[in-house]
């Protein structure tokens, strides 16, 4: 493990960098709330016609391709994922921490796999349970302060390729099972 090094996530990632402003005057938004994604599976995206409907106050965070969205409330419920495809005028809840990596150092998919590991989720949930709010929650700084061992970018990419193939097979099997059940 000579090629591995310890990094503080806040040194190789940016969190919550871009927000929607009403000054942008979008006619509509496609909105992802924290309860609508679990283990990188989006159940639904809410279409909101801003001209006729009120935009939820939490509908503010912008994402881009490879942004990781990680719910700050009850991490053990696993409301997180990595954004690959998204519709126009897409925003997510401020209940997420949006994490963007420095791709020269840390592959976003690799970080997503790390952040979704049960031991790390449990660690973040333990931090959440110590919060002073009415419910278990973490802050962006709790994620930024995580120190993780990472290999060089080439090894990260190889690991991501293998895990990505396994994820694709799992997704395919779920779709087959859903079709059989229907």
């Amino acid at each position: 493990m000579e090629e591995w090094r310890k990094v503080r996530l806040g040194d190789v990632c940016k969190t919550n960098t871009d927000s929607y402003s009403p000054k942008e005057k979008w006619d509509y938004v496609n909105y992802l709330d924290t309860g609508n994604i679990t283990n990188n599976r989006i159940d639904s995206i809410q279409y909101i016609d801003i001209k006729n409907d009120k935009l939820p106050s939490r509908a503010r965070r912008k994402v881009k391709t490879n942004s990781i969205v990680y719910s700050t409330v009850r991490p053990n419920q696993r409301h997180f994922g990595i954004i690959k495809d998204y519709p126009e005028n897409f925003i997510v809840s401020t209940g997420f921490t949006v994490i963007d990596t420095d791709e020269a150092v840390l592959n976003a998919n690799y970080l997503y796999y790390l952040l979704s590991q049960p031991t790390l989720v449990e660690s973040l949930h333990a931090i959440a349970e110590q919060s002073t709010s009415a419910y278990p929650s973490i802050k962006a700084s709790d994620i930024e302060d995580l120190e993780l061992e990472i290999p060089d970018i080439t090894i990260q990419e190889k690991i991501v390729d293998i895990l990505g193939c396994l994820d694709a097979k799992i997704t395919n099997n779920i779709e087959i099972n859903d079709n059989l059940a229907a």
Side-chain angles (χ1 to χ4, degrees), residues 15-20 24 60-64 98 100:
T15 58
N16 303 331
T17 58
D18 200 7
S19 295
Y20 169 75
E24 294 178 73
R60 292 285 178 261
R61 297 213 199 284
K62 288 183 177 179
V63 297
K64 50 191 166 196
V98 176
D100 295 301

Side-chain angles (χ1 to χ4, degrees), residues 12-73:
V12 294
C13 297
K14 301 271 188 244
T15 58
N16 303 331
T17 58
D18 200 7
S19 295
Y20 169 75
S21 167
K23 293 176 185 174
E24 294 178 73
K25 299 191 185 292
W26 290 354
D27 292 333
Y28 65 91
V29 300
N30 287 291
Y31 173 60
L32 180 66
D33 201 359
T34 55
N36 292 22
I37 187 171
T38 305
N39 289 321
N40 206 27
R41 306 247 190 277
I42 295 175
D43 296 330
S44 64
I45 295 173
Q46 184 180 358
Y47 177 88
I48 302 170
D49 179 351
I50 298 176
K51 291 181 177 180
N52 299 315
D53 298 314
K54 186 171 170 35
L55 190 63
S57 61
R58 293 176 64 98
R60 292 285 178 261
R61 297 213 199 284
K62 288 183 177 179
V63 297
K64 50 191 166 196
T65 302
N66 289 329
S67 289
I68 297 167
V69 293
Y70 207 96
S71 178
T72 58
V73 177

Side-chain angles (χ1 to χ4, degrees), residues 8-10 13-17 61 70-73 94-99 124 127 137-146:
R8 180 184 166 274
L9 283 188
C13 297
K14 301 271 188 244
T15 58
N16 303 331
T17 58
R61 297 213 199 284
Y70 207 96
S71 178
T72 58
V73 177
T94 56
F96 288 114
T97 293
V98 176
I99 307 162
L124 287 171
I127 292 168
S137 62
I138 57 174
K139 301 179 292 298
S141 60
D142 295 323
I143 294 172
E144 292 167 0
D145 288 340
L146 291 172

